[in-house]
Amino acid sequence: MDMSRRVIPALSLETLPRRHHATVAAIDWAQLAAPEARRLRELGFDEGVDVEVLHRATLGRGPIACRIGRMTVALRRAVAGAIHVQLDALPAK
């Protein structure tokens, strides 16, 4: 088994449920055009960053509003699909 190959989680930012906190696990930079990748880096998207989906445009075709840190940004669905996330563990009761 090739252990050097990185496993990408199945959950993308595009499919993350609203109001669920997650951590960016990986970003598929090859799936993005150079200007989109540069914009994500400038906004602070990178592995380990906390993210939350706040709103989705109606009819499932428009942008997704998400929070990264204290900033709210809108991303195209294709861009959000390249961002793979891991759900944060729920606090113990």
Side-chain angles (χ1 to χ4, degrees):
M1 182 175 196
D2 183 13
M3 297 302 281
S4 65
R5 196 170 137 187
R6 194 151 101 181
V7 177
I8 296 178
L11 187 63
S12 71
L13 185 58
E14 180 182 15
T15 59
L16 180 68
R18 284 183 60 224
R19 300 293 181 184
H20 280 74
H21 293 268
T23 303
V24 175
I27 299 175
D28 187 357
W29 298 109
Q31 188 177 335
L32 302 170
E36 292 170 332
R38 184 175 48 250
R39 178 174 177 255
L40 283 184
R41 288 185 181 104
E42 289 170 352
L43 291 172
F45 277 90
D46 204 357
E47 291 179 10
V49 173
D50 294 328
V51 67
E52 174 188 10
V53 172
L54 301 175
H55 182 74
R56 285 184 172 80
T58 57
L59 304 175
R61 296 193 47 94
I64 296 172
C66 62
R67 177 174 293 138
I68 175 171
R70 295 179 13 200
M71 190 173 37
T72 301
V73 297
L75 299 173
R76 285 189 219 125
R77 290 196 182 252
V79 174
I83 301 170
H84 302 281
V85 298
Q86 179 178 357
L87 285 172
D88 291 344
L90 297 174
K93 290 185 178 185

